[in-house]
Amino acid sequence: MSVRLEDIIRGRVTLFNIFIAIVVIAVVTGFINPKFWEPGNWQALLTWYLGLSVLAMGESMVLITGGIDLSVGSIASASSMLLAIALDRWGLPLVLSIVFVLAVTALIGAFHGFFVSLFSPPLPQIMPAFIITLADNIFWGGFATAITLGWPIPLYKYPDLSVIATPWMLALILIIVATISIYIQRYSIIGRYIYAIGGNIDAARLSGVPINKTRVFAYGYSALCAGIAGIIFTALMMTGYPSVGRGQELYAIASNAIGGVSLAGGEGIALGAAIGAFLITLIRNALVLSNVTPYWYDPITGVILGVAVTIDLYRRVRGAK
């Protein structure tokens, strides 16, 4: 059965069709450059995909509530530097350093949720969410650079950190984050609250949904995942790098849009965000192997995001009629 444009626009195409797109891109890229199929290329592709997928799944929690988190990339950068400082400057054990980083990032996210709740209502929640997460995107990105004046912190003398970057550990982290995210969204009470707020916040309020607490949780979870992603990026490079997550928030949002998480709220699932992240990573890898100049990576990703958002908005407008 052929897939019609009308079906795509109306949202009838499932995640299965994203898999089809992945297969097509893989086959075409492999035909253009056989190095695509080499184990080394796939290891690099999957390694860098894992950090983005964790970011995207955390972001999905906020987007489904009808909010937005523009700070996750900078929080990942800040967590990378905080981890490096805890290890190299303070001499903390690795486990304690990781706990410290995750606690700080979760608190940052919880503050975002509190700020949104403070001003919504009367304002639409997207407005304070945009303001506070954009401000923190700038702040934490600048913080990550300022604390070492832009210099990275090498961590090669901490071999335990490299364990996190091993394929089996990265896969385990991905499975754990995906399992927890999907369970929360689909099988928990807080997940029902998240969808209710994103679907119709006024109806959710009348139904007794604890809106403020739910938003604090959603933003806290998003920032926590950003902290995990920052730790992954740090372990991969064995270096605390101040700009490692800069700009990744846009790819996390794009991953959600591609994976069927509505930017208007109330629809989608973390699995879709993870699949969307893989498609974006695959496209970037395909561009590299096809010898496309890196200057075109962001424009192409922007076009993909624009198409995905336009389809989602058109589908919602058609559904409202």
Side-chain angles (χ1 to χ4, degrees):
M1 182 178 64
S2 62
V3 177
R4 299 179 303 161
L5 178 61
E6 185 71 12
D7 290 334
I8 297 176
I9 292 176
R10 291 185 177 180
R12 294 172 183 165
V13 176
T14 65
L15 291 178
F16 174 77
N17 299 97
I18 301 179
F19 282 112
I20 297 298
I22 289 172
V23 171
V24 171
I25 293 172
V27 171
V28 172
T29 305
F31 178 79
I32 295 173
N33 190 339
K35 290 184 179 180
F36 174 79
W37 301 111
E38 293 182 0
N41 177 63
W42 276 89
Q43 182 176 354
L45 187 155
L46 293 174
T47 295
W48 287 101
Y49 153 72
L50 293 174
L52 177 58
S53 66
V54 171
L55 273 180
M57 286 189 285
E59 182 78 36
S60 73
M61 207 71 71
V62 170
L63 292 175
I64 293 172
T65 67
I68 194 168
D69 190 347
L70 299 173
S71 67
V72 292
S74 291
I75 290 176
S77 296
S79 68
S80 176
M81 298 308 294
L82 288 174
L83 178 64
I85 288 173
L87 286 171
D88 195 60
R89 304 282 175 84
W90 300 345
L92 297 180
L94 177 61
V95 174
L96 187 58
S97 297
I98 291 175
V99 171
F100 165 72
V101 169
L102 296 182
V104 170
T105 55
L107 286 174
I108 294 171
F111 170 71
H112 293 164
F114 172 77
F115 185 92
V116 173
S117 299
L118 188 64
F119 294 99
S120 174
L123 297 175
Q125 64 172 321
I126 192 67
M127 188 178 298
F130 182 90
I131 292 171
I132 188 60
T133 60
L134 177 60
D136 262 5
N137 177 291
I138 298 170
F139 174 81
W140 289 110
F143 171 83
T145 302
I147 54 178
T148 61
L149 300 179
W151 290 97
I153 302 177
L155 298 172
Y156 298 106
K157 59 184 177 181
Y158 302 98
D160 290 348
L161 180 62
S162 64
V163 175
I164 298 176
T166 56
W168 65 269
M169 180 58 78
L170 290 173
L172 179 61
I173 293 173
L174 176 63
I175 292 171
I176 291 174
V177 174
T179 301
I180 293 175
S181 300
I182 294 171
Y183 175 80
I184 290 173
Q185 291 174 348
R186 288 305 194 199
Y187 303 106
S188 71
I189 295 177
I190 191 73
R192 297 190 187 97
Y193 293 160
I194 288 172
Y195 283 98
I197 294 171
N200 189 323
I201 191 170
D202 293 325
R205 184 176 292 109
L206 292 174
S207 300
V209 172
I211 293 174
N212 293 345
K213 292 181 180 178
T214 302
R215 288 193 290 208
V216 168
F217 171 83
Y219 283 89
Y221 189 86
S222 177
L224 177 66
C225 287
I228 295 173
I231 292 170
I232 291 174
F233 292 142
T234 305
L236 288 171
M237 298 186 300
M238 290 300 290
T239 302
Y241 201 73
S243 61
V244 68
R246 278 295 186 94
Q248 292 300 308
E249 64 278 352
L250 301 180
Y251 290 105
I253 294 171
S255 299
N256 278 275
I258 293 170
V261 177
S262 176
L263 301 191
E267 295 180 9
I269 190 172
L271 177 61
I275 295 173
F278 183 78
L279 181 58
I280 285 181
T281 307
L282 181 64
I283 290 173
R284 290 176 67 88
N285 182 259
L287 293 174
V288 171
L289 294 177
S290 301
N291 295 319
V292 176
T293 174
Y295 296 112
W296 282 104
Y297 297 172
D298 288 343
I300 291 173
T301 303
V303 170
I304 295 171
L305 174 59
V307 171
V309 172
T310 301
I311 290 173
D312 176 59
L313 293 176
Y314 184 84
R315 180 172 57 84
R316 282 181 170 266
V317 170
R318 288 291 297 270
K321 291 181 179 180

